[in-house]
Amino acid sequence: MKKYSNEIADESSSHQKRRRQMLFCSLLPLSFFTTLVNGKPDIPVETPVELYPMGSSSPSNLALVLPRPLADARQLSANITDYLMSEKLDGVRAYWDGQQLYFRSGRVINAPSWFTEKFPSHPMDGELWMGRAQFERLSGAVRRQQAQDKEWRQIQYCLFEYPLAAGDFRLRLQKLHNIVEVLQVPWLRVIPHESLKSVEQVEARLKQLMLQKAEGVVLHLASAEFEAGRSEFVYKLKPQHDAEAKVISIHSGKGKFEGMMGALELETPEGKRFKLGTGFADEQRRNPPQIGSFVTYRYRDLTSSGLPKFASFVRVHQPE
């Protein structure tokens, strides 16, 4: 276990070299800010880099940091104090490239102009969020072709990363706090992070969040420099696993579910098939997901044959 933990935290010289090649050359002081004619604050930041080809209408490769799933916080017990912990919001990932908001897939998010008009001209990464247990309502609002102001007035943009910025994660968070403080945009905030002293602190916080219908926690190595892609320094920890599978058939209900859907037959990307019959509201049973669509489900563990244990429906899966 100690060897595993040390390997997680070890930053080899080759990784350091690759990260430095991605970083900006320097950070100008955030001590003086002015406002341009168009209302965007002129916040001195690192020299921008080209995220996508000239003339492209949307990014082909956003600078996203993707966390790895963690089964147990004790896997990091040898150096848990090196990490910062935050709540994992059940929101929609949104990347601001300095001009436009994008889904994780690179598709444009049709946010109202007033929502982003004071955002800075450098990248920011975070979650669009309406609150705990509000994902379905949020998802419908942010995916409309025509944004509705009434819905967007209830949405916050919660930041957790300053893409491509110099410095370790702790410093990048401080930069985000400085920027948000200057901008004074009511719906723009930084997700709170706390320093860790023990694995028990993580477990207690996770238990507390579960009672509040939160999704889980994220653990980020405080000393990690920015590196896009699936990260070896960022972990997501949830009490249950989740995954996506394709609907291949719909089984009719019996008893109290007579005349409605009783269960979905799903197929995983690995070709495993199983029935999913719990977690559905009556309205979802009356109008079940279509055959060929994908759904997200939660489960505790896998059987020896690779099938999910205690699987429960979460939502119809959106590609972004």
Side-chain angles (χ1 to χ4, degrees):
M1 183 68 69
K2 183 175 182 181
K3 180 179 178 182
Y4 177 86
S5 303
N6 290 336
E7 288 175 352
I8 289 177
D10 181 40
E11 296 185 9
S12 66
S13 58
S14 62
H15 280 127
Q16 291 280 5
K17 183 176 180 181
R18 288 202 309 272
R19 286 195 296 273
R20 291 193 181 100
Q21 290 174 343
M22 294 176 63
L23 298 176
F24 296 113
C25 297
S26 63
L27 174 67
L28 298 177
L30 288 169
S31 59
F32 180 74
F33 301 87
T34 60
T35 302
L36 298 176
V37 175
N38 64 3
K40 282 189 179 290
D42 184 18
I43 300 178
V45 295
E46 291 88 350
T47 304
V49 299
E50 185 178 0
L51 297 181
Y52 47 94
M54 292 293 291
S56 174
S57 59
S58 64
S60 57
N61 188 21
L62 300 177
L64 298 169
V65 175
L66 304 176
R68 295 177 183 269
L70 189 67
D72 191 328
R74 296 186 183 278
Q75 292 176 269
L76 302 175
S77 59
N79 46 12
I80 194 68
T81 57
D82 296 335
Y83 286 80
L84 298 177
M85 178 173 63
S86 64
E87 177 181 347
K88 187 181 188 304
L89 301 184
D90 190 17
V92 172
R93 184 77 175 265
Y95 186 99
W96 172 255
D97 74 339
Q99 296 180 324
Q100 178 69 57
L101 278 174
Y102 294 91
F103 289 109
R104 173 176 164 177
S105 65
R107 188 165 67 88
V108 171
I109 297 175
N110 296 308
S113 59
W114 56 262
F115 190 87
T116 61
E117 64 182 356
K118 292 186 178 180
F119 284 8
S121 56
H122 60 74
M124 302 187 297
D125 194 5
E127 295 267 334
L128 294 174
W129 196 56
M130 272 187 172
R132 299 184 183 118
Q134 297 296 318
F135 179 84
E136 296 294 342
R137 197 158 61 94
L138 169 71
S139 180
V142 302
R143 288 180 169 83
R144 297 190 194 283
Q145 290 299 313
Q146 185 64 44
Q148 296 186 9
D149 286 354
K150 183 178 180 180
E151 293 177 322
W152 278 86
R153 294 290 181 190
Q154 303 173 57
I155 296 175
Q156 294 182 325
Y157 187 26
C158 305
L159 306 175
F160 53 70
E161 185 57 272
Y162 191 164
L164 302 171
D168 61 25
F169 181 65
R170 193 187 299 273
L171 178 58
R172 297 198 303 278
L173 277 181
Q174 185 56 56
K175 293 176 186 177
L176 285 177
H177 279 290
N178 292 343
I179 292 166
V180 168
E181 184 178 354
V182 169
L183 294 178
Q184 292 293 300
V185 176
W187 47 88
L188 185 67
R189 69 181 182 91
V190 180
I191 298 176
H193 287 69
E194 59 183 286
S195 299
L196 294 176
K197 295 181 179 179
S198 66
V199 169
E200 289 72 24
Q201 179 183 348
V202 178
E203 294 173 339
R205 178 59 172 155
L206 184 60
K207 183 177 180 180
Q208 178 189 47
L209 287 171
M210 291 305 99
L211 293 175
Q212 298 171 352
K213 297 184 178 180
E215 184 168 300
V217 297
V218 175
L219 306 176
H220 200 305
L221 186 66
S223 62
E225 296 177 352
F226 183 85
E227 183 172 18
R230 187 65 63 182
S231 178
E232 60 184 304
F233 306 121
V234 189
Y235 297 89
K236 56 183 178 180
L237 178 61
K238 298 186 287 185
Q240 292 181 312
H241 307 286
D242 58 37
E244 283 74 48
K246 185 178 181 179
V247 179
I248 59 173
S249 66
I250 300 173
H251 296 263
S252 299
K254 298 179 180 179
K256 67 176 181 179
F257 298 138
E258 185 73 33
M260 296 188 287
M261 178 267 292
L264 299 177
E265 186 170 356
L266 305 179
E267 183 177 73
T268 70
E270 295 76 29
K272 303 287 185 179
R273 294 189 176 188
F274 66 98
K275 289 183 180 180
L276 184 69
T278 62
F280 299 97
D282 286 348
E283 178 59 30
Q284 292 165 333
R285 291 186 181 277
R286 284 190 287 267
N287 297 283
Q290 297 179 355
I291 293 176
S293 66
F294 285 80
V295 300
T296 299
Y297 62 94
R298 288 200 176 113
Y299 63 99
R300 289 187 187 177
D301 205 346
L302 295 176
T303 66
S304 58
S305 59
L307 296 177
K309 294 180 180 178
F310 306 105
S312 177
F313 174 79
V314 178
R315 65 177 71 96
V316 175
H317 177 65
Q318 300 289 346
E320 287 78 20

